[in-house]
Amino acid sequence: MFVISGGRPLCGVVSASGSKNAALPIMAASLVCSGQLRLSRVPDVVDVHSLRKLLATLGVRSTITADEPGGMTLEATSQKHHVAGYELVRKMRAGICVLGPLLASRGHARVSLPGGCNIGHRPIDLHLRGLSALGADLRVENGYVVAEADRLRGAEVNLAGPHGSTVTGTCNIMTAAALASGRTVITSAACEPEVIDLGHCLNRMGGNISGLGTPVIEIDGVDQLAGATHEVIPDRIETGTLLIAAAITGGDVTVLDARADHLVQTTNLLQHLGVCVQLPSSSGDAHRGTCEIRARANGRIRAAHVVAGPYPGVPTDLQAQLMALLCIAHGSSTVVDRVFPDRFLHAAELMRLGARIHRRGDSAVIDGVARLGGANVMAGDLRASAALVLAGLAAEGHTEIRRIYHLDRGYEQLETKLNGLGARITRTDDTPEPGSPHWRRQRRTASTT
Ligand code: EPZ
C-alpha cells in the first residue's frame, strides 16, 4: 500500500528507466539466439523477473550483470523444453511473447493462454492467424496454445484487428519469421517503438528485417541468429507519467535519458493542455539518441478532447494518467480509447478522490474540479495504479492506494523517483480494511497469540 501526502508541487530532475514493453519481447528473443544476448537498460520490474523465471523453465539462463545499469545476459542452454505453463503466464500476459520464438527455434510450443486483465478483452487470434500463415499447425486445448512446425515458411501476414494492429502479435510473428525459410511480409504491422527496438535487436543478431516503424515489415529468414549486444530504449510510458506528475502537481520536472521522438503527440497534447514542455535538442546524448524533456506547469490545465490510439497517437498506456490530469482541468474534457475501448476502470477510483467523471457512449466525460481530496483507493491494473498515484500527489491531504503490486509490475522504483522530486509517498504493509477476510484472519491470529 502507498500512503501519499499530496498537494505539493514536484520539482527537479529524474532519469527514465529502460522500457518494460521493449525488454520483454527482446528477452523472449533469447530463445532464437544461438549465442549470448547481452542487454543493458533492462528495467528492474516484476514483469521482467516473471519472464526470467518463465524463460528459465525453457532452458534460458539469465544473469544480472553489474557492469552497467540494467545489465542482463541471456543464453539458451538447452532446447528440449517447450511448455510455458499457466502458473507463470497467468501472472504476466506478456508470457505470450515466447510463443513465436519457441515455435521457430524448437519446432513446437505449448503456451498457456494469457489471462485476461482489467483493461479489457485480450484475445490472441491475430498471433495465431500470423503463425498459421507461416505454416504452423495450431490448436487450442485445455487453456493452452499447442503449435507445431518443422520449419516455418515465409508468407504474407496481415495483422489488422478491430482496434488496429497488435504490438506483441507483431513481435511474435517478426521473431518467428526471422528464422523462417524465405521472405515474410507483415502488413498492418504495429509501428510502436518497442517493436522497432526488437527489430533492431534481431538485426544485430544477424536478422534481415526492414520497414520497422511502418505498417509493412519485411523479414528475410536466416538459418541461425547469433549472440548480440543491445541497449533497450527508454520507457516512453514512464517518461510520460513523470511529465504528467509535474503538470498535475503544478511543478517543474526534467526527465533525462528520454526519447522525445517517441512521445511527440503526448508532448504536443500536454502543451495544448497549457503545460510548458521544453525539448532541448543540444543536451541529448546524440549517439544513444536520448535527450531530456522538461515539463513545467503554467497556470491551470485546460480541458481537451483526448483520443488514445495506436502509435504514433497518444498511447493507451498513458490514457489513465491523462484522465487524472484532466480531473483538475478548467472545463469539461472527453477521453476515448481506440485501443482498449473499456479501459476506464480507473474512473471510479478517481471519483473517490473527488473527480467528476461519467460515461457517454465510448467516451469518458470529465468535468474538471479545482482540487482533489485525499481518500482510500484501490489499484486495478498497472497504468490505473499510476493514475491514482498522480491524483494522490495532486490531492489535498492523505491518499491510501492498496494493491500497488500492480504498479511494481511495470515501474522501476516509482516512489523513490517521485520522492526525489519532493513527493511524500510511503510504501507500507496493506493494513486490512475493517471487516475484510484479511482483517478477520488478522484479528483471529492476534487473539490467539
Ligand atoms: C501491448 O499489449 C502492451 N503490452 C500494452 O501495455 C499496450 O497497452 C498494448 O500493447 C497496446 O499498445 C506489452 O507490450 C507487454 P495489442 P498487447 O495486441 O500486445 C486487440 C502495459 O500497461 N487484439 O497491441 O497485448 C486487443 O484486444 C500494457 O504495459 C486482437 O483483437 O496489445 C486490443 O484491443 C497494458 N487480437 C488491440 O488489439 C489479437 O490477437 C491492441 O492489442 C491481439 C490484440
Side-chain angles (χ1 to χ4, degrees), residues 20-22 24-25 47 92-97 117 119-129 160-171 190 192 194 235-237 309-311 315-317 338-341 343 381-383 409-410:
K20 159 181 90 83
N21 290 349
L24 296 173
D47 273 8
M92 179 200 51
R93 281 189 41 76
I96 196 67
C97 288
C117 64
I119 64 178
H121 184 36
R122 306 289 295 272
I124 58 164
D125 58 303
L126 298 174
H127 297 239
L128 305 184
R129 181 206 289 177
H163 304 292
S165 184
T166 162
V167 173
T168 49
T170 302
C171 293
E192 273 69 6
E194 294 76 27
D235 194 312
R236 62 192 169 107
I237 305 304
Y311 196 82
T316 174
D317 290 350
R338 298 258 185 262
V339 180
F340 293 109
R343 189 177 192 171
D381 68 73
L382 168 55
R383 306 304 175 184
R409 290 189 42 209

Side-chain angles (χ1 to χ4, degrees), residues 39-52:
L39 302 179
S40 56
R41 210 170 180 176
V42 177
D44 177 12
V45 296
V46 167
D47 273 8
V48 163
H49 296 297
S50 302
L51 186 57
R52 286 182 69 201

Side-chain angles (χ1 to χ4, degrees), residues 45-112:
V45 296
V46 167
D47 273 8
V48 163
H49 296 297
S50 302
L51 186 57
R52 286 182 69 201
K53 286 191 198 117
L54 174 57
L55 289 170
T57 66
L58 298 168
V60 174
R61 187 180 58 233
S62 62
T63 46
I64 303 293
T65 53
D67 52 347
E68 50 189 316
M72 182 188 290
T73 298
L74 301 104
E75 185 161 9
T77 53
S78 94
Q79 304 275 332
K80 63 176 184 297
H81 306 280
H82 67 279
V83 179
Y86 173 70
E87 266 319 298
L88 284 166
V89 176
R90 76 181 175 87
K91 288 196 182 98
M92 179 200 51
R93 281 189 41 76
I96 196 67
C97 288
V98 304
L99 177 60
L102 206 48
L103 181 61
S105 60
R106 303 188 186 174
H108 46 191
R110 190 177 157 77
V111 177
S112 166

Side-chain angles (χ1 to χ4, degrees), residues 159 165 170 174 185-193 195-196 200 209-219 311-312:
L159 290 182
S165 184
T170 302
M174 185 165 68
V185 178
I186 303 176
T187 55
S188 302
C191 303
E192 273 69 6
V195 175
I196 300 172
H200 287 160
I209 301 170
S210 58
L212 291 167
T214 79
V216 180
I217 298 178
E218 292 190 0
I219 303 113
Y311 196 82

